[in-house]
Amino acid sequence: MEMELVLLTQQIMNGLVNGMTYVLIATGLTLVFGVLHIINFAHGEFYMLGAFFTFFAAKLLGLDYISAGIVATLGVAVLGILANRFFFWPLRKEHEFTVLLSSLGLALLLTNGGELIFGADPKYVASPFADGIVPLGPVIVTQQRMLIFAVGALVLVLLYLFIQKTRMGKMMRATAQNPEGAALTGVDIRRVYTVTFMVACGLAALAGALVGPTAMIFPTVGTWAVLKGFIVVVLGGLGSIPGALIGGLILGVVEALAGGYISMGFAQAIGFSIIIVVLLWRPNGLFGAARRA
Amino acid sequence: MRLQSILAATTAAFIAAGTMAVQAQEEPVRIAAIAPLSGPGAFDGQLAVEGMEAMVAIVNENGGVLDGRMLELVTYDDKGSPEEGVSAAKRAIEQDDVDVIVGGWFSSVALTMKEVTRDRILTIMTTSQHPDTTREGHDWLFRLNATSTMMSGAYSQFICDRMDLESIAFITINDDYGRLEVENYEKLLSECGIEVLGNEYYNKDDADFTTALTKLRAANPDAIYVSAINTAQGATIYRQIRQVGYRGTTIASAGNMNPKLVELSGPALEGVYSVSLFAPDSQDPELLAWVAKYEEMFDNEPSFIGSIGAQSIEVLAEAIDAAGTVRDYGELAETIRGNEWDTLLGNVTFDDIGQAEQNIYLIQIQDGKIASVN
């Protein structure tokens, strides 16, 4: 009985940490949709770039893991600005589907470009925290996984404060409600676009930098990331940041329990079943508001 | 003066046209290389194709096949998935009209792809280990790797005799190959008194294995047997076994070891056993020539999967010369079955259903290197 309880706690811990990475990925996805009404299929590629930039920053610049992760996050945030400047901003007047398909094109471009530049061989982002184990009583967590959870939580609090308290955050919320109205009152829409993409891509990259030392990275990991991101966003409600938080943690824990008590072979199927059930039962997600026409 | 230069130009043009006509007669023998070039198996596919290319270069430098026809590889991406393998094989046959197909790196792909190539084209399956690849194959199909049944026979004997285990658990890829692996080893290891405490399946695009490994660790087996067919997932599993706090013995599945996997897994693979057709310290001159060529052409370290790719080219080139034909598949298949082939991995023969018979070696990771053990 005691043993059973330890195992249950361990699996919930595993799930919460995995869930936190889903949250970081999904938050950027949901932010871009919530503020700019863009569904960005290339979002997972920024996660991939975050992991690879961390690897190369450590290897080529000789940085330690933490500095490399910060450099990578900032680097990908800058790429987010460029992606907006040369890609999403010029397309902003096009139909939603055009933008969606273009983002799919950007995803393919980044994946294949990544394969060309980084090589197809899997890489391992070395971290001094990767194998260090923190025993919490009988439950075991590696330092790296503690770091993922702690950094994830901290970043989300900062993001919340940024959106609620700062002038830029208010401008983003205004744009989300009504872009034309916001523009009329003097909100600089172009800057809102830039900042939103910068933050979203930076979050994805941070997730990549954090997860890099727990699993091998290769140029197509972005496909996995964007898929998880979408499941979370559908679950939590498109455009809702609290939704991404709760949705991500739920998905992580449900997957861990399904893997732990049924079979990991089913964990993926469970993610997709969640999508179907949510779409049938609450089409706007757990936290989504019905969209006004 | 002007007339002369026109004449000269015309002559040159005629000569050029003439040589082109001669070259056109000597069309290359086109070999479709269908391999996973994207997704988690992309690196393994890359190693495979590189191995083939190095051997193609060696054959071509020695004058090609059939009195001067060069070999040419046409690569296709099967993404490690059965559907993509089928469509790649169809494209190779119907659109590109290739001469032979080399593919089947993963069993799930080989098992579906063989139905497309049945009675249409000579096919060499490579690292696929599922017995049905040849057992339900066709007259023009051959497979180089030992089947998982052949491997598990030899490997389980070793595990039973030398590893002193009382219990074991498995983590296995959820495909045709993985399911058969578990079935084989559960039977063979139970027979020698090792208790099987559990098995966890994972999917080919999973990136986190902590939940499954946590469950296995809780069962507290003496050893965890890891059946991972691609390098990316393999290295992640080996590392995460340690990260969930498991301190027992790790056993690597047969035929899935390569230098990159050892490098990426770090200390987690030290001392771990596996079996392979590729003895890393072999001094076979053909192997040495291939290793030299490979290192000249590519940055990666030569690996088992690459050597199997090279072997497919070697057998094909020798057999095409011996049969005197490429497109008479009946004749070519008969020739492959009827002879012993001297290859970089040693001598190989094929039985009636096209299954190769070759040496199997026991290997161990020692000081970060793959070494053979006696």
Side-chain angles (χ1 to χ4, degrees), chain A residues 264-286:
Chain A
M264 221 181 116
F266 288 105
Q268 246 183 2
I270 284 165
F272 290 114
S273 316
I274 289 178
I275 286 203
I276 296 173
V277 172
V278 169
L279 286 178
L280 287 173
W281 171 59
R282 275 192 75 105
N284 295 309
L286 300 178

Side-chain angles (χ1 to χ4, degrees), chain A residues 199-224:
Chain A
V199 171
C201 294
L203 284 172
L206 180 67
L210 286 168
V211 177
T214 67
M216 302 304 131
I217 57 169
F218 42 90
T220 45
V221 282
T223 327
W224 168 89

Side-chain angles (χ1 to χ4, degrees), chain B residues 70-297:
Chain B
M70 295 292 120
L71 298 182
E72 182 189 313
L73 282 191
V74 189
T75 50
Y76 301 85
D77 184 6
D78 68 27
K79 299 182 183 168
S81 95
E83 313 87 73
E84 297 285 341
V86 163
S87 89
K90 281 188 178 155
R91 257 182 298 139
I93 300 169
E94 289 160 13
Q95 286 177 21
D96 300 341
D97 193 32
V98 298
D99 292 303
V100 289
I101 287 181
V102 175
W105 303 92
F106 297 148
S107 289
S108 55
V109 181
L111 289 171
T112 49
M113 210 174 77
K114 72 182 165 54
E115 299 309 323
V116 184
T117 66
R118 185 183 292 280
D119 300 329
R120 293 179 78 182
I121 190 164
L122 190 119
T123 312
I124 308 260
M125 297 298 186
T126 48
T127 51
S128 153
Q129 290 186 26
H130 199 292
D132 288 352
T133 305
T134 36
R135 206 161 56 198
E136 294 168 5
H138 52 80
D139 289 347
W140 302 339
L141 180 143
F142 297 88
R143 184 246 305 271
L144 297 171
N145 208 356
T147 66
S148 52
T149 318
M150 293 158 81
M151 296 250 206
S152 57
Y155 202 14
S156 62
Q157 194 65 48
F158 169 80
I159 296 172
C160 289
D161 294 349
R162 307 251 304 255
M163 294 190 76
D164 193 28
L165 305 175
E166 281 175 12
S167 58
I168 196 164
F170 303 93
I171 178 159
T172 330
I173 183 144
N174 188 14
D175 70 2
D176 306 88
Y177 159 78
R179 283 188 291 271
L180 185 73
E181 277 264 289
V182 173
E183 199 181 302
N184 282 339
Y185 283 98
E186 277 189 346
K187 181 168 156 289
L188 291 165
L189 297 180
S190 312
E191 276 171 13
C192 75
I194 298 177
E195 192 188 353
V196 177
L197 295 180
N199 167 52
E200 284 300 309
Y201 285 118
Y202 64 88
N203 293 313
K204 73 176 167 63
D205 31 15
D206 283 336
D208 185 83
F209 307 89
T210 44
T211 45
L213 293 169
T214 297
K215 197 172 161 188
L216 294 183
R217 171 177 168 262
N220 200 21
D222 287 346
I224 294 181
Y225 178 98
V226 179
S227 152
I229 53 178
N230 72 61
T231 305
Q233 285 186 320
T236 306
I237 294 174
Y238 292 119
R239 279 194 178 264
Q240 290 188 347
I241 283 183
R242 296 294 173 229
Q243 290 169 3
V244 299
Y246 181 72
R247 293 289 173 266
T249 308
T250 303
I251 302 176
S253 59
N256 296 312
M257 195 54 72
N258 69 59
K260 192 74 184 183
L261 181 65
V262 177
E263 177 201 321
L264 290 172
S265 309
L269 261 185
E270 192 56 34
V272 169
Y273 289 101
S274 182
V275 292
S276 176
L277 303 186
F278 178 62
D281 25 25
S282 157
Q283 294 300 315
D284 186 294
E286 284 172 55
L287 180 70
L288 296 180
W290 173 76
V291 167
K293 188 55 146 181
Y294 191 100
E295 283 174 345
E296 177 193 319
M297 291 173 72

Side-chain angles (χ1 to χ4, degrees), chain A residues 24-47:
Chain A
L24 285 177
I25 295 165
T27 303
L29 204 57
T30 217
L31 196 64
V32 168
F33 181 82
V35 178
L36 310 175
H37 297 276
I38 291 172
I39 294 180
N40 181 12
F41 270 108
H43 191 69
E45 309 326 317
F46 293 100
Y47 165 87

Side-chain angles (χ1 to χ4, degrees), chain A residues 108-128:
Chain A
L108 291 174
L109 188 76
L110 290 173
T111 310
N112 291 311
E115 212 150 75
L116 204 67
I117 296 168
F118 307 139
D121 57 318
K123 292 182 173 59
Y124 174 66
V125 179
S127 154

